[in-house]
Amino acid sequence: MSQKASIKGLLRPLPSETDRQRERAGRRPDRDLPSVHRVQATLTVLLADAQPAIRHGVRSMLERSADIQVVGEAATTDEAVAETSRCRPDVVVVDPLMDEPGGARVITQVLRVAPETGVLVFSSVDDDKAITSAIHAGARGYLIKRAGADQILRGIQAVAAGEGIVDRAIADRLSALIRPAAVQRGYPFPQLSNRERDVLECIAAGKSNTTIARELALASKTISNRVSAIFGKLGVADRAQAIVLARDAGLGNG
């Protein structure tokens, strides 16, 4: 089976409004949902978004469903990690923008403390780089914030069931987005962005953040954020572990 076929088999787009109208015609939607979407027990959900209004709106919508319980909220990455560790929700609905524009550190951090939790991105960003970053970080689903209540409910149910699900607007181009990174076999850590690879190379060479910032012409705060993101994606706790892992992979000799 080709890679494109396997990706399409895993990730399915949300149905259009026409599809949902057809589904509702002549039957009760909750009783007759396909088995892959049928949830036997109450699903627990954590909402992680920097905007209180978004959290309130999604919570109000979800609380109208008898099958879903919102067990916590978070406005920052640290809060999201702490609440995930405490609540162990089935699904975390998260906007990665709470961390940094286009970033996915919150996803990697959440999955480090609760790898069994499903992550559903709910973001206003319909950007190829942001979508790819989120999927590579471990998100099972990606919805745009124009999604309606029915789409969000279906997304949560799908992610909780272990499915990958994306907004219909994304589905047609998702295979092309994922394929390039998957074939980059020459680099040992394909989950890192190009700039993160540059930073890791410097870390492996034993350079400090100050030196890295000067050499790459970036702000010290930017380097600190990228170093934290690298640690999360590599699954290491500190700089020493990152150096060992990078040098074992042949980095730091340039």
Side-chain angles (χ1 to χ4, degrees):
M1 181 184 294
S2 70
Q3 183 178 18
K4 181 174 181 180
S6 64
I7 291 171
K8 286 191 172 180
L10 174 65
L11 293 159
R12 74 148 93 199
L14 286 170
S16 66
E17 183 60 31
T18 300
D19 294 333
R20 291 195 297 272
Q21 289 173 351
R22 289 172 180 169
E23 288 180 0
R24 287 195 290 264
R27 64 175 177 81
R28 295 177 60 185
D30 289 339
R31 176 175 298 175
D32 297 319
L33 279 174
S35 60
V36 71
H37 291 304
R38 192 177 298 133
V39 181
Q40 301 298 329
T42 299
L43 294 177
T44 55
V45 176
L46 173 69
L47 304 178
D49 196 298
Q51 302 180 53
I54 296 294
R55 298 198 308 273
H56 176 75
V58 176
R59 175 187 276 272
S60 297
M61 179 272 296
L62 294 179
E63 287 179 342
R64 292 196 290 270
S65 171
D67 296 327
I68 294 177
Q69 178 186 5
V70 178
V71 294
E73 295 186 16
T76 68
T77 295
D78 289 343
E79 289 180 6
V81 173
E83 285 296 289
T84 298
S85 180
R86 181 181 70 84
C87 302
R88 297 286 169 171
D90 296 309
V91 177
V92 174
V93 179
V94 61
D95 184 353
L97 289 179
M98 67 188 300
D99 184 41
E100 59 179 336
R105 185 170 69 92
V106 62
I107 299 173
T108 59
Q109 293 294 320
V110 161
L111 292 177
R112 283 184 65 187
V113 300
E116 73 284 358
T117 293
V119 174
L120 174 65
V121 171
F122 187 52
S123 175
S124 59
V125 177
D126 184 2
D127 173 78
D128 289 355
K129 183 176 180 181
I131 294 166
T132 304
S133 179
I135 298 298
H136 287 164
R140 292 180 192 164
Y142 198 109
L143 299 182
I144 308 301
K145 282 186 176 177
R146 60 174 173 264
D150 187 52
Q151 290 177 307
I152 297 171
L153 286 170
R154 287 171 177 269
I156 289 173
Q157 291 170 345
V159 166
E163 283 192 337
I165 195 161
V166 295
D167 196 285
R168 181 170 291 273
I170 298 171
D172 291 340
R173 67 182 195 270
L174 188 63
S175 295
L177 292 178
I178 294 178
R179 191 184 311 113
V183 299
Q184 292 174 356
R185 297 187 178 88
Y187 188 81
F189 310 113
Q191 68 270 41
L192 301 183
S193 68
N194 289 335
R195 182 59 83 180
E196 287 169 346
R197 296 179 186 188
D198 294 338
V199 173
L200 181 60
E201 182 70 33
C202 293
I203 291 174
K207 298 175 182 178
S208 67
N209 283 9
T210 301
T211 301
I212 297 172
R214 184 173 62 252
E215 290 187 1
L216 298 182
L218 294 171
S220 296
K221 178 63 175 176
T222 300
I223 295 300
S224 295
N225 290 338
R226 294 193 187 281
V227 169
S228 296
I230 290 168
F231 289 178
K233 291 182 179 182
L234 297 184
V236 298
D238 54 33
R239 201 179 196 88
Q241 291 183 10
I243 290 174
V244 171
L245 188 65
R247 288 182 178 175
D248 285 347
L251 304 183
N253 300 318

